[in-house]
Amino acid sequence: ATQTKSTDVERAESGIGQVPARRWKTRASETLRSMQVWEAHRPCTDCGERDLPVETDMQNCNQRRADLCEKCCKRRTERKESVLEFVNTEASYGEDLRIIKEEFYLPMQAAGLLSQEQLLGIFSNIQELIDLNENFLEILQEEIDQAFDQGDDDLMTVCIGEVFLEFVNMLPAFQTYCLQQSSSVNMLNALEKEKELLRIFLNVSQNDNTALRRMNLRSFLMAPLQRVTKYPLLLSRIIKATTEYHPDHGSLREAKSRIESHLEHINMKTKQEGNTWTLRSFRQDSKKKREVINIEMRETALKTVGWLREETRFVMEGSLQLAQPPDGQWVKKGSKTLKFQNMQVLLLVNMKRMSESSLESAEPGPVKDAVLVLIRDKNNGKFHLLREPLRLSNCIVSTDPDCDDTFELIEIRREAFVFRDSDRARTHHWFRQIRRYSRELGSWKKRRNALPNIMISTPHTRP
């Protein structure tokens, strides 16, 4: 009774009667239910939709997936499975490569069954592929382990596309192996018929060596070809399960495009060499055709300069118009008096590696050399150089206010070239990039602001 009276007194003093108090309690309970309903149907963090099923959120999903709709929950599961499939199949491929080396190459070498030249003809650059696989797999596994350590059970922080693009130099290694595959198999067949000891070794290995899973050497030698053609399929699965807002989405698409272009390039090379086999075909569009042409030009440029692939960076590449003026009077007369021809131009930079390992993706060191490679348009299906590469350490690059749609490159005591692009902004971009390396490498760089005719005397110098 005493408690009731005190309660009544408190209500009377606060100015809230019994009826308003009941209304207040009703509104509070309604607000609580509304908040619970909103909590159950709050927007999905991945897609922004509000179709979260109450039962699924409240009973089945854990706290990690409480903010995801059913569709995105499923997509994350598919993405995780696709990422793990990519990594696991890369590990299986690496195991097949090690079997080729440890169960075939090394025993055959130790027993003297084949000469070193014959071994190289059959196994090609298998050691290079092994090294690339080990480094690639190590980085992938670190990404997976780091994601799990940070509580990312869905592996959303794992960026397969970015890692793939860092190891894009492994694609030319696949190309080398694939182009030699036909001759490797033919050599193996001929040697097996010729050498009885080799034939016995291969038969015993297939039947008695449990590590081979009763597979013969030819089956294992096909592993790199099968792996390189599977990359686009694996990347497509990850792309399908990755939302376009994910930071790796663009890298995944670029990685897929790069590998498809290399496969088309390998097929083109096999046809040129007269081989009948081809890798898995992919639909070509104009962009992929352009990329295939770029790959072929890069190979031509690398073969010309003789640099290591892992030390080479392609700064710019594309079509430019080129003219060779007979004297320096063209500036007064204007660039319209010059006869321009279309040319494929590549700006290559040779970077000094900070690490001895050619496979380590460390920061590039200082620039050792830079060249401009001039390639004529295709003739009879092949690219041809206009001349030997222009070493920018021996060149002076300049522009003239009266001809701002062109720039001039003078090779000291030799020739002068005038370049332009169909787009004026791109012409200026080419000029800035070429001038940067000519200044950085030129022996005259201390006088970089001097005019060309002050530093040298050539018949092509402007007045």
Side-chain angles (χ1 to χ4, degrees), residues 228-395:
V228 72
T229 53
K230 198 171 183 181
Y231 280 134
L233 304 177
L234 294 172
L235 290 172
S236 295
R237 293 177 189 174
I238 301 177
I239 293 172
K240 185 178 179 181
T242 302
T243 177
E244 60 180 315
Y245 304 108
H246 194 280
D248 196 39
H249 191 268
S251 298
L252 285 167
R253 288 193 173 277
E254 183 181 353
K256 180 174 178 287
S257 178
R258 294 285 289 273
I259 182 63
E260 288 179 349
S261 298
H262 268 274
L263 292 177
E264 293 295 344
H265 181 62
I266 293 172
N267 284 338
M268 180 187 67
K269 284 286 189 181
T270 56
K271 292 178 181 178
Q272 290 178 355
E273 295 180 5
N275 295 325
T276 56
W277 65 273
T278 56
L279 296 175
R280 186 180 185 276
S281 175
F282 292 90
R283 181 180 61 86
Q284 287 193 18
D285 52 28
S286 58
K287 182 180 178 181
K288 288 192 178 64
K289 290 180 180 178
R290 177 71 251 176
E291 290 175 351
V292 171
I293 293 174
N294 289 342
I295 292 170
E296 191 172 358
M297 288 195 302
R298 290 174 199 150
E299 287 187 346
T300 303
L302 271 178
K303 190 180 296 183
T304 302
V305 297
W307 296 346
L308 294 175
R309 188 181 301 275
E310 56 270 15
E311 294 183 355
T312 305
R313 187 160 65 92
F314 293 88
V315 180
M316 290 191 70
E317 55 190 22
S319 177
L320 280 179
Q321 295 178 359
L322 176 145
Q324 291 183 268
D327 50 40
Q329 299 297 321
W330 69 271
V331 178
K332 293 182 179 180
K333 299 177 182 178
S335 59
K336 292 182 179 179
T337 60
L338 299 177
K339 184 178 180 180
F340 285 89
Q341 57 178 323
N342 291 325
M343 193 71 53
Q344 299 295 333
V345 182
L346 294 90
L347 174 56
L348 283 71
V349 175
N350 191 2
M351 310 293 293
K352 185 176 181 180
R353 285 177 291 151
M354 301 301 292
S355 170
E356 290 299 323
S357 173
S358 62
L359 304 173
E360 186 174 342
S361 56
E363 289 295 324
V367 176
K368 292 194 297 183
D369 200 358
V371 299
L372 210 62
V373 179
L374 310 179
I375 302 178
R376 298 181 185 273
D377 284 337
K378 263 193 171 182
N379 185 17
N380 296 326
K382 293 184 179 181
F383 287 110
H384 297 280
L385 296 177
L386 173 68
R387 64 187 306 284
E388 67 271 14
L390 290 164
R391 298 201 173 273
L392 297 187
S393 58
N394 299 327
C395 296

Side-chain angles (χ1 to χ4, degrees), residues 395-456:
C395 296
I396 300 170
V397 188
S398 60
T399 57
D400 191 282
D402 297 331
C403 301
D404 61 347
D405 61 336
T406 61
F407 64 91
E408 186 178 28
L409 185 147
I410 300 177
E411 190 178 16
I412 297 176
R413 302 190 183 280
R414 292 193 65 180
E415 298 177 277
F417 300 88
V418 178
F419 293 95
R420 72 180 182 187
D421 193 282
S422 56
D423 179 66
R424 182 170 299 185
R426 188 162 174 80
T427 301
H428 294 164
H429 184 55
W430 271 101
F431 164 69
R432 288 192 296 269
Q433 291 290 339
I434 296 174
R435 182 183 60 176
R436 169 192 169 187
Y437 293 106
S438 68
R439 286 179 170 182
E440 186 173 342
L441 297 168
S443 58
W444 46 272
K445 60 184 178 182
K446 293 182 180 180
R447 303 184 62 184
R448 64 178 63 178
N449 295 323
L451 293 175
N453 61 338
I454 295 177
M455 292 181 293
I456 60 174

Side-chain angles (χ1 to χ4, degrees), residues 162-200:
E162 292 182 4
V163 177
F164 193 96
L165 291 177
E166 287 181 5
F167 283 83
V168 75
N169 276 340
M170 66 182 177
L171 298 180
F174 276 107
Q175 175 177 315
T176 300
Y177 186 90
C178 292
L179 292 178
Q180 294 183 12
Q181 178 63 19
S182 180
S183 60
S184 297
V185 173
N186 292 335
M187 178 180 290
L188 178 60
N189 292 337
L191 290 173
E192 192 174 3
K193 293 178 181 179
E194 177 184 341
K195 296 179 178 290
E196 184 178 1
L197 289 178
L198 175 63
R199 185 168 60 252
I200 294 173

Side-chain angles (χ1 to χ4, degrees), residues 122-172:
I122 293 175
F123 295 97
S124 188
N125 61 330
I126 197 69
Q127 184 59 52
E128 182 183 10
L129 294 177
I130 292 174
D131 295 338
L132 287 167
N133 168 261
E134 289 178 351
N135 284 268
F136 187 38
L137 187 60
E138 181 181 358
I139 299 300
L140 290 174
Q141 195 59 55
E142 286 179 1
E143 289 275 317
I144 299 292
D145 295 341
Q146 185 177 2
F148 282 132
D149 291 342
Q150 295 175 350
D152 178 19
D153 295 335
D154 288 333
L155 304 181
M156 294 298 291
T157 57
V158 176
C159 296
I160 296 292
E162 292 182 4
V163 177
F164 193 96
L165 291 177
E166 287 181 5
F167 283 83
V168 75
N169 276 340
M170 66 182 177
L171 298 180

